[in-house]
Amino acid sequence: MHKSPDGTAYTLIGPADGPVIVMIHGLGLNRDCWQWTTPALNDHYRVLCYDLYGHGQSAPPPETPNLSLFSNQLATLLDHCGIETATLAGFSLGGMIVRRFAQDHAHRTTGLVILHSPHKRSADAQDAILKRVEQARHEGPQSTVEAALDRWFTADFKQANPDMMDIVRDWVTGNDIGIYHTIYRVLADGIDEIIAPSPPIICPTLVITGDDDYGNGPEMTHAIAAEIEGAQSVILKGLRHMALAEDPSAVNTPLFAFLDALDAKA
């Protein structure tokens, strides 16, 4: 683990001359959520995983969080690592951040992978997430984590894998009560600035979700892809939000195929 001057904790592994892919986790998690993905990438790709401000081992946000702050965090980290361009893979909130970055820094973005990430919510869904933000503000991340695990994993998998539930639960509940809800609000309120992106996102893009992902379902994935010229969408059968942990091969197969196709064109 390394830290950049602004307090961002990161790991950078793989061959120095390999194409770079940056992995950006979701709300309440940390860079360890990519442990089911990165081992198969390390032989060929230069893989950069980092903790968002206020998560894992990174510093607290230096100002009130918003998507631009997280986009700037990534740009600063790339500069620190001497990386000019990269393909970005973002999960959930991370999928929002990579869209913001691709608008802010199109010349640095060679491709996007958007995993289980939101588009415009219905009024009821937006009301529900705002209520969870307020619950987290008053009671902390432990007040929302059990319901989150139910949304994130299929019931059978959750019951059969208590150790994994403990890992993910510990990640979420390890977040600071004074910070967590401020970043949760970015997940809730930041969506409007990346819908119908302007400037448009112009890089090759892959959008993935599970057909049973309650908050980021197939209709959202198709809507995201429809706004990015040439984007592909993949719907994973029988999986919920944390498919990357529940069934890594289901996510990794289309992800690796997309990355290899990009590499072949480079």
Side-chain angles (χ1 to χ4, degrees), residues 150-264:
D150 287 340
R151 294 192 308 274
W152 293 355
F153 295 96
T154 63
D156 288 346
F157 183 87
K158 181 172 179 285
Q159 183 175 3
N161 294 273
D163 290 347
M164 184 180 290
M165 298 309 109
D166 287 342
I167 290 170
V168 178
R169 185 183 292 109
D170 287 347
W171 289 344
V172 175
T173 58
N175 285 273
D176 188 303
I177 186 173
I179 297 173
Y180 180 69
H181 71 93
T182 67
I183 303 174
Y184 209 150
R185 184 162 289 277
V186 179
L187 180 67
D189 287 344
I191 196 66
D192 287 342
E193 65 183 88
I194 52 174
I195 289 174
S198 180
I201 295 172
I202 57 174
C203 61
T205 300
L206 172 65
V207 195
I208 299 176
T209 197
D211 64 358
D212 203 17
D213 187 327
Y214 290 111
N216 312 272
E219 69 287 349
M220 288 189 174
T221 282
H222 292 313
I224 293 168
E227 293 180 343
I228 303 171
E229 186 174 354
Q232 310 168 44
S233 58
V234 173
I235 309 303
L236 308 175
K237 299 297 185 183
L239 290 168
R240 294 185 180 174
H241 194 54
M242 285 284 285
L244 58 84
E246 179 166 339
D247 188 353
S249 65
V251 176
N252 293 346
T253 297
L255 169 62
F256 296 166
F258 176 78
L259 294 176
D260 289 347
L262 279 184
D263 190 29

Side-chain angles (χ1 to χ4, degrees), residues 3 6-9 51-55 57-62 73 179:
K3 274 202 174 183
D6 69 354
T8 297
D51 294 335
L52 295 171
Y53 287 134
H55 291 78
Q57 296 173 289
S58 284
Q73 180 189 16
I179 297 173

